[in-house]
Amino acid sequence: MHINYYPKVKRWSILLLGLISIQLSSFAQQISGGIKLNPSFSTIYSKSLKDNYAVQKNKDPKVTNYNVSSRHRFSFGFGGFAEYAVNDKISVLGEPTLNFFRSNIHLNYHYMDLDSLGNGNSVRIASENTVKLTHFNLTISGRYTMGLLRKYFVLGGPSITITSRPKINTKETLYLSDYIMDLVETTEETGYSGKATLDNFKKFKIGFMLGAGKRFDVFRRDMFVDIRYTYFFNKSPLYTSNAEFDDAVLLGGVFSETGKRSVEKENSDKKIQDFRMGLFTFSVRYTLYKK
């Protein structure tokens, strides 16, 4: 007797296809894109430079201050983004942006030479060095959405940056003071300044970004706002081969080839080539396309 299994197989096939369709429908698979703004606070810093200054300070008890501090400055960037939603919670983002980076590096030196009666003199130098550069950044990140309303999210991923050559603008003030019985008798101020292109700087950077944010509904479109930090792994020297810059400034000469070598020599030739960029970014993305 011949038994026809075809109707039964057909029913199972239809059921299986139905289950696959239901499963696939649970994946959003939406592609969206739009514009992006990158207001941020940026910095560039070196641990070796700070260590070199500390060594020199400890060598002479008359040097009361010799330090370096890197300060964040407001920066800005803009670009676009493309997003692929794997499902309702997970998506992949690509964000190409053009950014205008700036940071301040403050150098301070104070030498005090007084006798037992408080008579003598002091030398103080305050140096403000503003570093600016333009960089193209591409961040590829994964985003995970949380909560019942799916408004809050965390994200993270690798970041690739290509920079222009940084430019430095140095402004310094030299204070020469005379003391009588621990009181300042006279103070003479002299200003110094210099500008240069820091042509010894590695342009290619690889970093990692972490952040968290919230989604808003603005004019019936999605707007994503997040705060993120990008840590760059690459270290780099930061100095100019322009000899005129070293002649024009005092402490800022450490950003010249001659001045850098002089500071390194004072600390057993410990190289100052570990400058690293850092970015705190307030990222705003507005969706213009969604399919």
Side-chain angles (χ1 to χ4, degrees):
M1 182 176 66
H2 175 69
I3 299 176
N4 186 4
Y5 289 97
Y6 177 74
K8 186 179 295 186
V9 172
K10 185 177 181 180
R11 286 195 297 271
W12 278 107
S13 298
I14 293 173
L15 179 60
L16 180 60
L17 288 173
L19 290 173
I20 293 174
S21 298
I22 293 172
Q23 182 64 29
L24 288 176
S25 66
S26 66
F27 288 86
Q29 292 185 335
Q30 288 183 339
I31 298 176
S32 60
I35 58 175
K36 184 177 188 294
L37 299 178
N38 265 359
S40 60
F41 289 93
S42 51
T43 186
I44 189 166
Y45 58 93
S46 165
K47 185 178 182 300
S48 294
L49 180 57
K50 183 175 289 189
D51 292 344
N52 270 275
Y53 276 10
V55 169
Q56 293 189 54
K57 177 181 179 296
N58 294 332
K59 285 183 176 180
D60 190 344
K62 294 181 181 180
V63 176
T64 61
N65 188 19
Y66 202 178
N67 64 34
V68 54
S69 61
S70 296
R71 301 183 184 180
H72 289 79
R73 290 291 302 272
F74 179 78
S75 302
F76 188 77
F78 64 90
F81 75 93
E83 178 178 2
Y84 177 76
V86 178
N87 55 38
D88 290 339
K89 292 186 176 182
I90 300 174
S91 59
V92 179
L93 283 166
E95 300 170 305
T97 57
L98 182 66
N99 303 273
F100 305 94
F101 175 102
R102 65 189 313 191
S103 176
N104 274 9
I105 302 175
H106 288 255
L107 310 174
N108 294 282
Y109 174 84
H110 192 196
Y111 176 89
M112 181 79 76
D113 185 14
L114 302 181
D115 60 22
S116 59
L117 299 177
N119 300 324
N121 56 70
S122 74
V123 178
R124 185 166 69 90
I125 306 173
S127 175
E128 181 179 356
N129 304 269
T130 301
V131 178
K132 298 181 180 180
L133 60 85
T134 302
H135 66 96
F136 172 79
N137 178 266
L138 176 62
T139 300
I140 305 296
S141 61
R143 190 185 73 190
Y144 181 76
T145 302
M146 303 172 292
L148 296 176
L149 299 178
R150 293 170 183 163
K151 287 189 175 183
Y152 298 94
F153 60 88
V154 294
L155 73 169
S159 180
I160 299 173
T161 291
I162 300 174
T163 77
S164 65
R165 288 182 175 179
K167 296 184 181 298
I168 189 168
N169 183 7
T170 297
K171 294 181 180 180
E172 301 181 325
T173 304
L174 169 66
Y175 302 90
L176 298 177
S177 300
D178 292 323
Y179 284 76
I180 296 179
M181 298 183 67
D182 289 324
L183 297 177
V184 177
E185 183 70 13
T186 61
T187 297
E188 178 184 344
E189 296 183 17
T190 307
Y192 296 83
S193 63
K195 296 181 180 180
T197 298
L198 301 171
D199 47 3
N200 290 277
F201 182 73
K202 294 180 181 179
K203 297 181 180 180
F204 184 76
K205 312 287 181 186
I206 297 178
F208 193 85
M209 178 275 295
L210 283 175
K214 183 179 179 180
R215 176 180 62 83
F216 298 89
D217 184 10
V218 178
F219 301 117
R220 297 183 179 180
R221 295 180 184 271
D222 290 333
M223 184 175 78
F224 302 90
V225 178
D226 63 71
I227 298 175
R228 58 179 70 180
Y229 180 74
T230 304
Y231 177 84
F232 291 95
F233 300 107
N234 307 71
K235 299 177 182 179
S236 172
L238 184 70
Y239 64 92
T240 180
S241 55
N242 184 355
E244 294 181 0
F245 178 76
D246 184 47
D247 295 335
V249 297
L250 301 173
L251 294 182
V254 72
F255 298 107
S256 70
E257 187 171 8
T258 304
K260 169 180 170 291
R261 289 177 178 174
S262 176
V263 173
E264 290 172 341
K265 189 175 181 180
E266 293 291 333
N267 191 12
S268 302
D269 291 323
K270 184 175 182 180
K271 303 300 182 182
I272 305 172
Q273 52 188 15
D274 64 337
F275 281 90
R276 199 194 303 265
M277 294 167 55
L279 283 173
F280 279 104
T281 304
F282 183 74
S283 174
V284 180
R285 302 189 308 278
Y286 187 70
T287 304
L288 298 177
Y289 170 83
K290 193 170 185 178
K291 182 178 180 181

